[in-house]
Amino acid sequence: MAAEREPPPLGDGKPTDFEDLEDGEDLFTSTVSTLESSPSSPEPASLPAEDISANSNGPKPTEVGLDDDREDLFAEATEEVSLDSPEREPILSSEPSPAVTPVTPTTLIAPRIESKSMSAPVIFDRSREEIEEEANGDIFDIEIGVSDPEKVGDGMNAYMAYRVTTKTSLSMFSKSEFSVKRRFSDFLGLHSKLASKYLHVGYIVPPAPEKSIVGMTKVKVGKEDSSSTEFVEKRRAALERYLQRTVKHPTLLQDPDLRQFLESSELPRAVNTQALSGAGILRMVNKAADAVNKMTIKMNESDAWFEEKQQQFENLDQQLRKLHASVEALVCHRKELSANTAAFAKSAAMLGNSEDHTALSRALSQLAEVEEKIDQLHQEQAFADFYMFSELLSDYIRLIAAVKGVFDHRMKCWQKWEDAQITLLKKREAEAKMMVANKPDKIQQAKNEIREWEAKVQQGERDFEQISKTIRKEVGRFEKERVKDFKTVIIKYLESLVQTQQQLIKYWEAFLPEAKAIA
Amino acid sequence: METHAEAGKEGKPLCASVDLQGDSSLQVEISDAVSERDKVKFTVQTKSCLPYFARTEFSVVRQHEEFIWLHDAYVENEEYAGLIIPPAPPRPDFEASREKLQKLGEGDSSVTREEFAKMKQELEAEYLAIFKKTVAMHEVFLQRLAAHPTLRRDHNFFVFLEYGQDLSVRGKNRKELLGGFLRNIVKSADEALITGMSGLKEVDDFFEHERTFLLEYHTRIRDACLRADRVMRAHKCLADDYIPISAALSSLGTQEVNQLRTSFLKLAELFERLRKLEGRVASDEDLKLSDMLRYYMRDSQAAKDLLYRRLRALADYENANKALDKARTRNREVRPAESHQQLCCQRFERLSDSAKQELMDFKSRRVSSFRKNLIELAELELKHAKASTLILRNTLVALKGEP
């Protein structure tokens, strides 16, 4: 439909045109035209995307019922969009223009953010992603299971191999069900690759489970006791949750490294993940350096949303940590209760043995049996306490650390842009000086440098916008996932508590007639 | 800290370990109790139409040491050698509870105001529970004495109940402490007697059986009591854990802006209610199981003491027989030896007869008490489990119903 429209002459392509416009339609057209006439299009490949998003009637009309993500994005943006309601109308109205409306909100948002110029590639990248998402739909039909921990090798070189099974109907995979064997360092390697690719552009990459030198050493040394089996089970469950979270992420799911991890039978050994390797130490040093830098970056936050969210996540982090500590105490005490109940059961049995009144003796033995069963119950409940409640909390504490990391990357990005602007200023000053001193060759050099830094400034701004947009979207998705996750687990946990109580009822109901039978 | 307990007014003793057939001719109860810095003052109220007393209704104030004095007086009285003397009440011990309250007062800054209030409430309830228990223990001791046909007629008992002034039972001086020490040595000799190591021949099957039974029973019930205590404490600990969990969920809920808000707040409420239920489970286990086991541990010790006394009488009888034989062979001082032997024989037979009755009473008392408490325990556990299930289910429905 936009094809029918005659883009108004845009002589200067100055971004400020946008600001003169008042109502939605014009805004829209000017946007399109700005894109078309954008002076610097470093990514010509994006133009075809422009056709799809701006011109085709393709899937758009049927998508007027926007998918959740987009609605969320729009919902969040409307708070800050100072433009009035007319821009909403394109979506709701049944005029021809709706053909392009799904793109409209996005393009409206982009200009609003601090930028003064619009960059075509940024917008089109967004649209492409959105299209991909739509194609995949909100239903992520992929299920990952981590199972069958197996010890491979002997002594200190031994390791645990886990079976990773994927069940999926997604077309990007060659089979619908397949499994591979992976070891812990493979998972760490996967995370490391994904993090290096996606973290710095604002994607919340789920963190991998933590290393544990003590735990692994026990397993390697061959201690076949309950603590090492518990450790292995804890790790297996954590790896499974890690993969589930990673594949749920629409962008990460597309990543070839992830696919290779899930599909290929042989995987190159990830050596840089060892705790005490050179790379490991370098990572630690970098992390420390980052921490120092973060403290010195004084960012001019012009977008209250980011400040708000950061504060929110900070609070959430604190509260989750508190809750986690209390739940850990609960697990510990429930285990103690279980042990004490077992001990009592034994002594009740002994007491029943020495009791010389027959009926009472029998009742005491029954009591001992009941208490033994209750001990089992407590143990199972302690597992539920831990695996459902406690691990959920510790997962989210680490996830929030990843979220904070992403916000930090945005700050660094801003810093880079700032620095570029400062350098540009310096270069301009230098040029001015050269002009005065009248040194023609130096002037040319200065002009070259200015051009170079102008490009860097533009890139810096684009990167900053991009990361900001990505983060908004990611945070929206993260929050949705978080709500779903917590609700599911809370319900499961409560159901486990109900189970325990029902069993208790069964046991005591069976015991009551025995007690009454004492004559 | 001053605490009052209207124990008597509640009607029946908290420690329902002893089934006391109420005989209206002598009714004793502890109608009031005050806990001061380092002692507890019990108000013992008596209602009686018996001729021994000057009035029909009167009360006195007694402290723990005076109860012990009364108990020891019974134990040392030869007349009651053939009876099971009701075990003395344990010394009131608020140390642990006081320490905990003090520690809470010293404050932990990471605890919110609501959490602090709840923890304080829990500790105060604990303190009150210990207080009520000690009152009940002292009361049951007196009530058993009042119910026993022989023991209730003791002069010291009347003095204890009626004498308005302080009984001046001072703390034991050195001589008495030494005496106590010697008594323990004698006790070990008794242990030798009762475990059959001294070679004393038991003549009666009934007592032989009772001896082996009581020895084992006492050890095992002591074990069971200690372990039941640990279970109860672990349960209490668990219930207390719900306090910070509920508080954290509450904070989380108030900070959330999405659907999790109501979920967290509902969960916080749930844990608060679960806490109360778990607390009740713990205190019911305490009253119905731990306390009962503890009481019968003490009672079985009193029964063992009776067996010692009987065996000592048997030993005396055997010695008197030997002395008589010796006197007869030497034909010197036969008369005194004869009368001494007769006395010992009579004493031994008297003790054996009353001991038999006492031990059979002990068994029936024990059986009926266990029955009552086990039934009540099971019923209470069921009640609490059903209540827990109900609130859990309600919360689940509410959570699942939300979009």
Side-chain angles (χ1 to χ4, degrees):
Chain A
M1 285 305 174
E4 296 170 357
R5 220 174 305 214
E6 195 65 56
L10 250 187
D12 43 343
K14 273 213 299 277
T16 46
D17 270 351
F18 159 70
E19 278 153 19
D20 294 9
L21 302 163
E22 293 292 87
D23 67 281
E25 255 193 68
D26 278 353
L27 247 174
F28 166 66
T29 28
S30 92
T31 305
V32 173
S33 35
T34 320
L35 297 172
E36 287 172 357
S37 59
S38 164
S40 56
S41 295
E43 285 178 46
S46 60
L47 288 173
E50 173 196 341
D51 281 342
I52 298 166
S53 58
N55 301 322
S56 91
N57 286 351
K60 297 305 174 276
T62 54
E63 299 297 326
V64 177
L66 303 166
D67 72 85
D68 284 354
D69 270 7
R70 218 118 20 71
E71 269 178 346
D72 271 0
L73 200 65
F74 185 65
E76 280 172 44
T78 20
E79 299 164 26
E80 286 103 305
V81 172
S82 52
L83 309 159
D84 44 30
S85 49
E87 60 272 13
R88 272 182 163 267
E89 286 170 22
I91 298 166
L92 305 169
S93 76
S94 48
E95 290 158 21
S97 49
V100 263
T101 44
V103 185
T104 315
T106 324
T107 53
L108 281 177
I109 294 160
R112 186 200 49 70
I113 302 176
E114 313 84 19
S115 66
K116 294 170 194 79
S117 67
M118 298 220 296
S119 17
V122 173
I123 296 160
F124 290 140
D125 279 349
R126 299 277 310 119
S127 333
R128 186 169 46 208
E129 278 168 42
E130 285 174 293
I131 293 159
E132 281 174 343
E133 256 194 74
E134 265 185 287
N136 285 333
D138 258 353
I139 310 141
F140 284 99
D141 188 7
I142 175 165
E143 229 181 86
I144 311 276
V146 174
S147 58
D148 307 320
E150 219 182 11
K151 187 167 163 199
V152 176
D154 261 319
M156 287 314 285
N157 289 325
Y159 63 89
M160 287 308 252
Y162 301 88
R163 176 171 297 283
V164 178
T165 312
T166 313
K167 290 198 188 113
T168 177
S169 64
L170 292 175
S171 50
M172 68 169 110
F173 292 102
S174 46
K175 288 187 267 187
S176 63
E177 193 170 328
F178 48 90
S179 73
V180 292
K181 280 272 195 183
R182 295 282 178 254
R183 53 185 292 185
F184 186 67
S185 54
D186 293 335
F187 289 81
L188 294 182
L190 171 68
H191 174 258
S192 166
K193 289 199 196 117
L194 293 176
S196 65
K197 280 195 254 180
Y198 296 96
L199 260 183
H200 68 277
V201 285
Y203 289 96
I204 302 171
V205 177
E210 282 170 349
K211 277 196 262 255
S212 163
I213 296 179
V214 173
M216 255 336 266
T217 312
K218 269 206 222 159
V219 174
K220 287 186 205 220
V221 162
K223 270 192 96 183
E224 282 291 326
D225 65 355
S226 61
S227 72
S228 44
T229 23
E230 253 186 68
F231 171 79
V232 171
E233 173 53 29
K234 183 178 167 188
R235 180 165 273 194
R236 182 210 65 79
L239 291 173
E240 192 173 87
R241 291 193 307 272
Y242 164 66
L243 282 182
Q244 289 276 53
R245 287 211 174 91
T246 308
V247 299
K248 272 211 203 111
H249 195 297
T251 311
L252 296 180
L253 184 57
Q254 306 289 332
D255 188 275
D257 279 324
L258 178 59
R259 244 179 295 169
Q260 186 190 43
F261 179 89
L262 292 175
E263 278 184 319
S264 62
S265 47
E266 285 299 316
L267 209 63
R269 194 57 217 284
V271 286
N272 285 340
T273 59
Q274 278 156 342
L276 298 176
S277 72
I281 295 181
L282 187 63
R283 257 199 303 276
M284 283 195 286
V285 171
N286 282 340
K287 267 204 187 126
D290 278 350
V292 174
N293 280 339
K294 189 164 70 155
M295 293 192 285
T296 56
I297 294 179
K298 258 300 178 132
M299 177 167 163
N300 250 350
E301 188 60 80
S302 48
D303 188 352
W305 185 90
F306 285 92
E307 233 177 273
E308 235 176 77
K309 283 294 168 188
Q310 268 183 289
Q311 190 55 54
Q312 228 179 293
F313 281 114
E314 192 55 54
N315 292 343
L316 188 61
D317 183 41
Q318 271 181 20
Q319 290 303 328
L320 285 180
R321 279 177 199 273
K322 249 176 113 177
L323 183 59
H324 183 242
S326 315
V327 174
E328 284 196 310
L330 181 75
V331 174
C332 180
H333 289 142
R334 213 188 282 277
K335 285 191 182 156
E336 245 179 71
L337 177 62
S338 159
N340 289 347
T341 308
F344 173 70
K346 288 203 187 94
S347 59
M350 300 270 277
L351 186 65
N353 274 344
S354 43
E355 173 59 62
D356 64 350
H357 185 275
T358 345
L360 179 55
S361 166
R362 193 176 50 236
L364 284 171
S365 310
Q366 294 288 67
L367 180 69
E369 263 183 52
V370 166
E371 293 287 339
E372 227 182 273
K373 290 193 202 139
I374 290 179
D375 152 43
Q376 263 304 108
L377 267 187
H378 285 315
Q379 263 188 49
E380 283 164 17
Q381 186 59 61
F383 277 140
D385 288 344
F386 180 72
Y387 281 105
M388 287 188 220
F389 207 177
S390 180
E391 286 284 78
L392 172 75
L393 294 170
S394 71
D395 279 355
Y396 268 90
I397 290 170
R398 282 176 312 119
L399 272 167
I400 286 177
V403 173
K404 285 199 212 171
V406 140
F407 277 96
D408 288 345
H409 277 296
R410 178 176 170 269
M411 276 213 284
K412 278 198 258 177
C413 191
W414 181 85
Q415 187 67 65
K416 210 167 151 202
W417 180 27
E418 263 299 288
D419 289 345
Q421 287 180 316
I422 289 169
T423 314
L424 179 61
L425 217 60
K426 285 204 191 117
K427 296 297 177 193
R428 288 206 168 115
E429 280 170 8
E431 188 207 24
K433 275 203 203 123
M434 294 307 146
M435 297 284 241
V436 167
N438 204 8
K439 291 189 181 149
D441 46 337
K442 288 265 175 80
I443 290 173
Q444 187 52 44
Q445 185 194 356
K447 281 210 192 302
N448 287 339
E449 283 182 0
I450 288 176
R451 245 200 316 273
E452 182 193 336
W453 282 95
E454 271 175 350
K456 284 198 184 156
V457 166
Q458 270 190 349
Q459 185 62 50
E461 186 177 13
R462 272 199 299 268
D463 288 343
F464 183 71
E465 264 172 55
Q466 180 63 59
I467 198 177
S468 300
K469 254 191 294 215
T470 307
I471 291 180
R472 276 173 177 269
K473 184 160 177 245
E474 282 288 287
V475 166
R477 200 190 68 88
F478 177 81
E479 286 291 87
K480 259 181 70 192
E481 278 301 314
R482 181 166 76 91
V483 169
K484 224 168 46 181
D485 238 349
F486 269 81
K487 284 196 94 166
T488 316
V489 171
I490 287 173
I491 287 175
K492 245 171 65 182
Y493 179 63
L494 289 187
E495 284 175 348
S496 82
L497 288 175
V498 171
Q499 226 344 41
T500 301
Q501 294 299 324
Q502 293 199 294
Q503 286 291 88
L504 276 176
I505 291 175
K506 232 174 71 184
Y507 297 151
W508 287 110
E509 271 179 350
F511 175 72
L512 195 53
E514 294 287 334
K516 290 189 168 153
I518 302 170
Chain B
M1 168 180 163
E2 287 227 350
T3 319
H4 279 253
E6 304 288 297
K9 304 249 169 66
E10 284 165 358
K12 56 180 178 158
L14 277 170
C15 172
S17 299
V18 182
D19 203 13
L20 299 160
Q21 248 79 34
D23 170 4
S24 57
S25 58
L26 176 61
Q27 282 179 321
V28 182
E29 66 180 19
I30 295 185
S31 58
D32 193 14
V34 176
S35 161
E36 284 169 12
R37 183 84 205 119
D38 54 354
K39 54 181 174 251
V40 181
K41 295 202 168 128
F42 303 94
T43 303
V44 180
Q45 191 182 59
T46 314
K47 289 193 184 123
S48 174
C49 48
L50 292 175
Y52 318 116
F53 303 110
R55 292 162 291 167
T56 49
E57 239 184 86
F58 46 90
S59 49
V60 294
V61 176
R62 293 286 174 242
Q63 287 183 40
H64 175 74
E65 288 75 22
E66 292 166 300
F67 285 77
I68 300 301
W69 166 84
L70 183 62
H71 174 261
D72 289 349
Y74 274 107
V75 167
E76 285 157 18
N77 193 330
E78 168 58 35
E79 256 189 68
Y80 309 127
L83 305 175
I84 295 181
I85 311 292
R91 202 175 67 83
D93 183 13
F94 298 102
E95 263 326 295
S97 195
R98 245 185 230 135
E99 253 179 49
K100 280 197 232 170
L101 266 171
Q102 199 177 18
K103 239 201 266 184
L104 184 67
E106 274 158 20
D108 176 7
S109 56
S110 72
V111 168
T112 65
R113 224 175 352 166
E114 291 88 19
E115 274 180 81
F116 180 81
K118 282 198 195 131
M119 283 158 74
K120 183 152 174 277
Q121 209 181 50
E122 274 308 308
L123 283 179
E124 283 172 352
E126 212 179 281
Y127 190 96
L128 191 65
I130 296 177
F131 186 70
K132 281 191 181 161
K133 264 204 246 175
T134 193
V135 168
M137 294 278 162
H138 285 76
E139 192 177 66
V140 149
F141 169 67
L142 294 178
Q143 287 178 336
R144 249 182 89 178
L145 290 171
H148 196 285
T150 316
L151 295 174
R152 78 203 318 231
R153 286 189 286 193
D154 184 81
H155 175 74
N156 287 322
F157 191 40
F158 301 151
V159 168
F160 178 92
L161 290 175
E162 201 174 20
Y163 185 60
Q165 308 280 6
D166 188 4
L167 290 175
S168 301
V169 174
R170 62 232 173 338
K172 301 192 171 147
N173 62 23
R174 240 150 126 254
K175 196 158 102 185
E176 284 161 341
L177 280 173
L178 208 58
F181 178 60
L182 283 171
R183 224 170 301 152
N184 279 335
I185 296 187
V186 169
K187 198 115 181 246
S188 326
D190 285 344
E191 293 274 359
L193 271 180
I194 206 171
T195 52
M197 296 195 315
S198 68
L200 195 63
K201 257 309 183 33
E202 176 55 72
V203 296
D204 191 335
D205 270 347
F206 173 81
F207 284 102
E208 182 56 32
H209 166 82
E210 285 295 308
R211 187 177 64 85
T212 29
F213 162 70
L214 271 176
L215 273 177
E216 197 184 56
Y217 189 81
H218 177 76
T219 321
R220 291 189 177 179
I221 199 173
R222 187 180 54 207
D223 234 11
C225 175
L226 282 172
R227 292 181 181 187
D229 273 347
R230 286 204 206 116
V231 170
M232 186 272 293
R233 270 197 295 267
H235 231 133
K236 185 92 210 325
C237 224
L238 196 71
D240 285 344
D241 281 340
Y242 284 141
I243 297 179
I245 289 180
S246 180
L249 284 166
S250 207
S251 316
L252 270 171
T254 40
Q255 281 174 21
E256 290 282 2
V257 294
N258 50 32
Q259 300 111 295
L260 283 181
R261 183 189 187 88
T262 28
S263 302
F264 280 142
L265 290 175
K266 284 215 172 80
L267 211 60
E269 203 187 298
L270 172 72
F271 276 112
E272 175 56 25
R273 294 166 80 184
L274 281 180
R275 169 179 85 89
K276 299 225 168 87
L277 279 171
E278 286 286 345
R280 261 176 239 145
V281 171
S283 74
D284 286 338
E285 276 173 1
D286 189 22
L287 287 173
K288 303 297 167 194
L289 206 51
S290 294
D291 276 357
M292 173 188 73
L293 292 171
R294 204 183 336 268
Y295 192 81
Y296 281 96
M297 175 182 79
R298 294 209 196 98
D299 220 10
S300 56
Q301 181 62 51
K304 270 167 77 181
D305 289 344
L306 170 60
L307 285 182
Y308 294 156
R309 291 195 288 270
R310 179 185 161 275
L311 281 175
R312 251 189 286 140
L314 179 58
D316 288 344
Y317 180 30
E318 287 213 346
N319 290 339
N321 273 336
K322 289 196 198 128
L324 182 58
D325 285 344
K326 233 205 272 182
R328 281 197 178 135
T329 37
R330 282 198 234 133
N331 206 4
R332 264 183 47 187
E333 297 194 2
V334 175
R335 259 304 164 71
E338 258 178 14
S339 54
H340 177 65
Q341 189 258 24
Q342 252 197 345
L343 268 168
C344 284
C345 174
Q346 279 169 354
R347 183 166 175 268
F348 172 66
E349 280 172 3
R350 178 175 60 91
L351 278 186
S352 292
D353 285 339
S354 81
K356 198 171 229 164
Q357 186 58 50
E358 287 282 303
L359 288 169
M360 293 199 297
D361 286 346
F362 171 65
K363 179 166 175 167
S364 61
R365 209 173 41 231
R366 182 175 83 240
V367 170
S368 81
S369 175
F370 267 69
R371 177 178 192 277
K372 179 164 179 282
N373 282 301
L374 287 177
I375 291 176
E376 284 176 3
L377 175 71
E379 285 173 345
L380 284 166
E381 294 268 1
L382 276 172
K383 180 171 150 212
H384 297 319
K386 286 181 179 157
S388 297
T389 307
L390 189 65
I391 58 178
L392 281 167
R393 283 223 169 101
N394 286 345
T395 310
L396 268 172
V397 162
L399 287 178
K400 282 182 181 167
E402 279 168 26

